[in-house]
Amino acid sequence: MIQSPCVKICTLDARSGLCLGCGRTIDEIAAWGRLSAAERAQVMDRLPARLAQQGAAPVAAAG
């Protein structure tokens, strides 16, 4: 199973373009299944800072 940061709160912020639940962009969400494990890890490393900038608390990634 591919690790995913999705928390089932799939709402994009119109200003930032980021998902309010996981912090990914729509392009990252769409490509997630095609990304290598290293590419997914790079995106996931950036998510806590993105969520913090939005004022959202980072959540645990789903497995």
Side-chain angles (χ1 to χ4, degrees):
M1 178 178 231
I2 294 175
Q3 184 180 11
S4 173
C6 182
V7 295
K8 309 290 191 258
I9 302 173
C10 305
T11 303
L12 292 178
D13 178 72
R15 191 170 34 128
S16 69
L18 299 175
C19 175
L20 298 176
C22 68
R24 292 180 292 173
T25 66
I26 190 70
D27 291 337
E28 290 166 341
I29 294 167
W32 196 253
R34 296 185 309 272
L35 297 177
S36 69
E39 291 168 322
R40 287 191 301 272
Q42 289 174 346
V43 171
M44 290 182 70
D45 286 346
R46 293 189 294 262
L47 298 181
R50 289 181 184 177
L51 290 170
Q53 286 179 343
Q54 292 187 123
V59 293

